[in-house]
Amino acid sequence: MGSVQIVTTILAAAITAVAVWLAVRAVLKMTAVIRLGQPAPERFTDKGARTRTMLVETAGHTRMLKWGVVGAAHWFVMVGFVVLSLLVLEAYFEVVTPTGGLPIIGHWTVFGLATEWIGILGLVGILVLMAIRLRNRPTRPGGRSRFTGSTMWQGYFVEWIVLLVLIFGFVIRGFKVATDHFEYPLWATPVSHAVGAMLPDWSDGASVAALIKIAISMTWLIVISLNVTMGVAWHRFLAFPNIFFKREPAKPAGSGLGALRPMTSQGKPLDFEEADPEKDQFGVAHVEQFSWKGLLDFSTCTECGRCQSQCPAWNTGKPLSPKLLVLSLRDHAYAKAPYLLAGGGKDLTGEEKATQAQLAHLDVLSLAEGDKPLIGDSESGGVIDPDVLWSCTTCGACVEQCPVDIEHVDHIVDMRRYQVLIESSFPSEAGVMLRNLENKGNPWGAPQNTREDWTKGLDFEVPRVGEVDDFEYLFWVGCAGAFEDRAKKTTRAVATLLNEAGVKFAILGEGETCSGDPARRIGNEFVFQMLAQQNVETLNEAFEGREKAKRKIVATCPHCFNTLGNEYGQLGGEFEVVHHTQLLAHLVATGKLTPVQPVDGGVTYHDPCYLGRHNRIFAAPREVLGDAIAGDLTEMPRNSERSFCCGAGGARMWMEEKIGKRINVDRVEEAMATGAKTVAVGCPFCSTMLNDGVNGKGAGEQVEVIDVASVLLRSVKPEQPQGGRETAPIGG
C-alpha cells in the first residue's frame, strides 16, 4: 500500500463512519416518528400477496411506467442504484489498492458486462430525468408545474449525485484500462475502454477516483441523514415498506381506491352504539392520530407531483394539491415529534398529557408546533386550510398516479370526519344535504312516497321485491335515479332495456334509502352507518336464503355501486353488485339486446371516477357505445384511469364551487373540443355536472349529455320516445 492509498483509505473510512452514524440516527428518528401513529393491525395480513405486489410494483415499475419515458428512465436509474451499489462497495477495495476489486464476482466478465450496460443506461436515464425536471421547473413560463411546491434543490442534488457517481464509476474503470489492470474485454465494456483511452497512465488514479466516488456517495448519505423529510431521497428506501403495507395488496391499482377505511380508534373499527368521544377517537384531529401507515405515507412522498398534475382541484385553481397536503402533514409531524416523544400531546378531551417537567427541555418551536390546529386558516395557524380540505372530490386521481401508493383520500376523509362529527365544521350548504339524509333518506329531501314515480308511463309493469320472488337482479335505483329528472330518464332506459332482454328484475321501491355515499365522503360516518345498516338489513331480507353469487344487484349510480359492492361488506352485507353498463354489455354480447340503428353525430365518453378509476370498469361502457354507434368513440385526451373528474364526488355535488374555475366547465370544454355531438356518461352526478357545464357554455342545442343506457336504447328501439332534451334536476 502506497502513501496515496494510505490517505485514501483513511479518508474513505472517516467519511463513511460519519455518514453511517448519521444515517443510523436518522433511521431511528424516522422510526420513532412513524411509531407515534395509531395501530393498524390489518396491514400485517396476507404477507404473501403483499410481498408479490411490492416486488411487482418496484422491480416491474408498474405504476411509474404509466408515464412512459419518465417511467423507463426512472427504472434504469433505480436498477443502477441497486446493482451499482456493488461498485460503491468495490470502491472500498480500490482505495486500498488501485488494482482491487470485489472478491469472487469482481473478475467475472458477465459482471463487468452487466454493470457496464446498467451504468450506460443509468447515465441516459438520469440525464433524461434531469432534463424533464428542468423542462417542468416551477419558474418556467406558462402553466402550473407538477413540481410546484417541491423542494427543488433536493431534487437537483439527488440527480447530480447519481450522475457523478455513475461518471466516476467509469473514471475508475478508465484508470484501470489506462494502467493495463482492467479485467474485462473491450466487447463487454466499450465505454470503460473509451474512457481509459483518454486518461493518463496514472497508477494511483483508480484509488483517487474511488475516494471521490465514496465521498460523493457518503455526502449524499450525510445530507439526507440531516434532512429526514427529504422524501426525494428517502423514498428509495421507504417505498418498499410503504407498498408492502398498502391497504389492499391484491388490488390492480391504488389500494386507497374504492372503499374507504372504516373509522377506527386504537386500530379497531368504531362501534357507534358504544363509542364515546371522550374515550374513542372520532376521525383525525392531530397528526399523531393518523395510523402509523399514514405517517409512513407522509415520510415516503417523493415530491414528484404526479398526484398534483392529475388533481381536478389543483388544475382549476383551487388551493388543494394532494402533494402539498401530504408535505404539510409530513413537515408538521416531524416538527411536532420532539414534543410528542417527550410525552406531549392532547388527550381526547383536549387536555395536555405531559407534565411541565417533561416539556421543560423543549425549544419554543417544538412547543409551538404542538399547539397548531391540524385544520385551520392562516389566522389560527392551521396546518391544513379548510379550503384545502373541502376542495377534494375524492376522485382518486392522486391515489391512481402515486408511484409509492400513498392513500391521500383516506387521510383527507379522516380529517373531514373529525371536523364534521366533533367540530360540526363544514361548508354550510352541505348541512341541508345531511339533514335531508337523516330526515328523508335522500340528499334532496324528496318525499319517500315518490321513489317509484319514475315507473309511471312505462308500457310494462316494474315488479317490487316482496311481490315477486323469482328475480335475478335487484335493481338498485338510487336517490338520483328515483328523484332527479335527468337520472330518471336513465332509470327508465335501463328498466326498458332489461325488460326488452327478458331479464327478471325487481326494485325495492319505497324500501330503498340513500346508500350513504355522500354522508361518508363528507365525513359524517354516523349518518352513513345509520343508512347503510338500514339498507343492509333490507337487502339481506330481500335476498334471504340465497348464496352470495345469487344476491345480485344492478346499480346505475357508480357511487351506489361502489358503496354497496365495496363498503357494505364492512357491515355484513355481501352482494354481487354490477353497474348497469356491465350488464348491458353482457346482454348485447349474448344477443339478448340487438342495436339496429347506429347513433350518429359522434359520441365521446366521460369515465366516472367511481366507476373507472375506483373500480376499474373502463371496457363495458365503451363496448355498449361501440355497438350503439357501430363505430369507434371519439376519446377525450384525459380518459380511462386519467379521466378528469366532473366535480361532484366527495359530496361536492352539494357544495358551492367558489374558488377558481368550475371543474365541470373544464371537463365540458375538453368534451366539446372533440367535436362529438353526444357526451355519454355512466353516472347521474356526472350527467348533472356536465349538463350544467354545457348549458353554462351556451351549447345546450349543439351538445347533448346522456347516459350510456339512453344511447343504447336509441339504437335498440329507435322508435322509443326519448322525451326531448333533458331538463334541470330537482333542487338544481
Side-chain angles (χ1 to χ4, degrees):
M1 180 185 292
S3 58
V4 171
Q5 282 70 42
I6 293 173
V7 173
T8 55
T9 301
I10 292 172
L11 291 176
I15 193 171
T16 300
V18 171
V20 170
W21 177 75
L22 290 173
V24 170
R25 190 181 69 167
V27 169
L28 291 175
K29 180 177 181 179
M30 295 176 75
T31 304
V33 171
I34 292 168
R35 292 183 63 174
L36 288 168
Q38 300 302 303
E42 74 280 2
R43 304 287 180 168
F44 294 92
T45 59
D46 204 355
K47 293 183 175 61
R50 293 182 180 280
T51 302
R52 287 191 298 273
T53 299
M54 183 264 291
L55 291 174
V56 168
E57 285 197 23
T58 53
H61 252 43
T62 52
R63 307 293 289 280
M64 285 291 297
L65 286 173
K66 292 180 180 179
W67 285 66
V69 172
V70 177
H74 191 276
W75 187 84
F76 286 122
V77 172
M78 181 204 71
V79 172
F81 175 80
V82 174
V83 176
L84 300 185
S85 295
L86 290 172
L87 296 188
V88 175
L89 176 61
E90 187 175 53
Y92 285 93
F93 293 91
E94 291 161 338
V95 294
V96 177
T97 172
T99 61
L102 282 177
I104 304 174
I105 65 171
H107 301 285
W108 295 355
T109 298
V110 67
F111 176 74
L113 174 67
T115 51
E116 179 85 358
W117 283 100
I118 290 172
I120 293 169
L121 295 172
L123 271 172
V124 173
I126 197 62
L127 289 171
V128 168
L129 294 181
M130 293 172 80
I132 290 171
R133 187 177 294 273
L134 287 170
R135 189 183 66 195
N136 291 282
R137 65 193 184 280
T139 55
R140 82 197 196 289
R144 278 183 162 187
S145 165
R146 66 184 174 93
F147 293 117
T148 298
S150 297
T151 313
M152 294 302 288
W153 76 262
Q154 295 180 352
Y156 293 135
F157 171 77
V158 168
E159 287 168 347
W160 273 101
I161 288 290
V162 173
L163 179 65
L164 290 173
V165 166
L166 289 169
I167 288 173
F168 272 90
F170 285 110
V171 170
I172 294 169
R173 288 185 163 188
F175 274 118
K176 287 186 173 182
V177 170
T179 57
D180 201 24
H181 292 119
F182 196 50
E183 307 96 328
Y184 312 122
L186 173 62
W187 65 266
T189 53
V191 173
S192 296
H193 279 271
V195 172
M198 295 184 288
L199 293 176
D201 181 3
W202 181 23
S203 60
D204 296 323
S207 294
V208 173
L211 173 64
I212 296 173
K213 182 176 181 177
I214 291 170
I216 294 169
S217 301
M218 293 305 109
T219 297
W220 173 79
L221 188 56
I222 289 169
V223 169
I224 72 167
S225 298
L226 295 174
N227 293 273
V228 290
T229 58
M230 195 170 173
V232 69
W234 282 105
H235 83 272
R236 58 185 60 192
F237 305 113
L238 297 178
F240 297 96
N242 207 56
I243 295 171
F244 180 87
F245 289 115
K246 66 193 293 186
R247 179 145 58 88
E248 296 181 56
K251 273 198 169 185
S255 71
L257 295 172
L260 283 173
R261 285 182 66 248
M263 276 183 66
T264 59
S265 181
Q266 292 298 313
K268 299 177 181 178
L270 203 62
D271 183 345
F272 275 90
E273 293 184 1
E274 301 179 0
D276 181 352
E278 294 188 359
K279 298 179 181 178
D280 296 301
Q281 179 181 316
F282 278 56
V284 169
H286 307 286
V287 71
E288 65 272 19
Q289 290 180 340
F290 287 107
S291 71
W292 62 261
K293 174 58 169 64
L295 296 176
L296 178 59
D297 271 358
F298 308 152
S299 303
T300 308
C301 179
T302 73
E303 303 189 26
C304 66
R306 286 171 177 78
C307 58
Q308 181 173 288
S309 72
Q310 303 295 300
C311 177
W314 177 260
N315 278 288
T316 52
K318 295 166 184 63
L320 169 63
S321 156
K323 177 186 72 177
L324 297 181
L325 179 139
V326 166
L327 297 186
S328 296
L329 293 171
R330 178 198 68 189
D331 293 344
H332 173 58
Y334 280 87
K336 190 178 181 181
Y339 161 72
L340 295 171
L341 292 170
K346 304 294 191 295
D347 63 22
L348 294 173
T349 65
E351 296 296 319
E352 175 60 56
K353 293 188 288 188
T355 64
Q356 288 187 345
Q358 286 177 297
L359 303 179
H361 69 285
L362 294 179
D363 62 59
V364 66
L365 293 178
S366 296
L367 291 172
E369 203 72 34
D371 287 332
K372 276 188 178 182
L374 191 64
I375 307 297
D377 57 21
S378 56
E379 289 186 8
S380 63
V383 178
I384 304 297
D385 190 277
D387 284 335
V388 170
L389 185 68
W390 297 110
S391 292
C392 179
T393 67
T394 68
C395 71
C398 49
V399 179
E400 170 77 36
Q401 293 299 328
C402 182
V404 292
D405 279 302
I406 293 172
E407 297 161 9
H408 313 73
V409 174
D410 282 339
H411 305 319
I412 288 171
V413 173
D414 271 341
M415 290 186 284
R416 285 183 173 186
R417 284 166 168 167
Y418 180 81
Q419 294 300 303
V420 172
L421 294 171
I422 303 299
E423 297 290 337
S424 296
S425 176
F426 50 87
S428 58
E429 61 270 22
V432 176
M433 178 268 291
L434 290 172
R435 285 193 296 274
N436 286 336
L437 287 176
E438 288 191 71
N439 299 327
K440 299 290 188 177
N442 70 84
W444 286 283
Q448 185 71 355
N449 61 9
T450 62
R451 268 197 181 267
E452 298 179 37
D453 283 2
W454 65 270
T455 64
K456 295 177 181 178
L458 291 174
D459 57 5
F460 58 92
E461 189 71 23
V462 177
R464 280 76 175 166
V465 172
E467 297 176 3
V468 294
D469 294 323
D470 185 23
F471 62 90
E472 183 180 4
Y473 286 95
L474 187 151
F475 182 12
W476 182 272
V477 177
C479 298
F483 301 122
E484 199 264 350
D485 288 340
R486 281 186 278 249
K488 282 196 282 188
K489 294 180 183 292
T490 301
T491 307
R492 291 167 63 88
V494 171
T496 301
L497 289 165
L498 294 181
N499 182 70
E500 181 76 12
V503 175
K504 294 181 179 180
F505 69 97
I507 63 171
L508 289 172
E510 294 183 28
E512 185 183 301
T513 190
C514 180
S515 68
D517 165 84
R520 188 168 227 199
R521 264 70 195 169
I522 203 173
N524 197 325
E525 186 74 6
F526 177 79
V527 171
F528 166 75
Q529 296 266 351
M530 178 185 71
L531 294 168
Q533 286 172 358
Q534 179 181 335
N535 282 326
V536 167
E537 184 177 335
T538 301
L539 290 168
N540 282 339
E541 184 178 334
F543 288 121
E544 189 173 4
R546 297 194 189 191
E547 59 190 53
K548 180 181 177 181
K550 294 183 179 179
R551 296 157 67 94
K552 297 180 181 179
I553 298 174
V554 58
T556 57
C557 175
H559 297 265
C560 295
F561 164 76
N562 178 70
T563 303
L564 270 63
N566 294 329
E567 297 183 338
Y568 276 17
Q570 299 169 3
L571 301 169
E574 296 291 338
F575 314 109
E576 290 290 334
V577 187
V578 299
H579 189 250
H580 71 283
T581 58
Q582 293 177 291
L583 181 53
L584 295 179
H586 170 72
L587 295 175
V588 172
T590 55
K592 294 181 179 179
L593 289 174
T594 305
V596 295
Q597 180 173 309
V599 176
D600 57 13
V603 178
T604 190
Y605 174 64
H606 163 78
D607 287 273
C609 301
Y610 273 82
L611 183 65
R613 221 174 353 253
H614 278 279
N615 285 285
R616 321 311 294 172
I617 298 173
F618 303 117
R622 287 176 167 80
E623 290 169 2
V624 174
L625 291 170
D627 290 323
I629 66 177
D632 295 328
L633 283 173
T634 304
E635 292 281 10
M636 286 183 261
R638 294 178 291 192
N639 64 76
S640 302
E641 68 269 9
R642 291 198 189 182
S643 178
F644 195 71
C645 182
C646 75
R652 288 295 319 175
M653 180 85 166
W654 292 274
M655 293 183 243
E656 291 296 325
E657 198 169 343
K658 301 173 183 176
I659 304 173
K661 184 179 182 180
R662 293 183 68 86
I663 294 172
N664 61 332
V665 171
D666 191 296
R667 186 56 165 169
V668 161
E669 289 174 351
E670 184 175 6
M672 291 173 62
T674 65
K677 300 302 181 185
T678 300
V679 180
V681 296
C683 172
F685 291 2
C686 296
S687 176
T688 296
M689 299 300 286
L690 297 187
N691 262 296
D692 289 351
V694 167
N695 293 332
K697 298 289 292 184
E701 295 301 317
Q702 292 80 44
V703 178
E704 185 179 16
V705 181
I706 59 172
D707 191 87
V708 171
S710 295
V711 177
L712 180 62
L713 182 60
R714 291 179 182 181
S715 180
V716 171
K717 301 184 72 173
E719 77 286 353
Q720 180 76 18
Q722 297 302 314
R725 288 276 169 171
E726 295 179 338
T727 57
I730 63 171

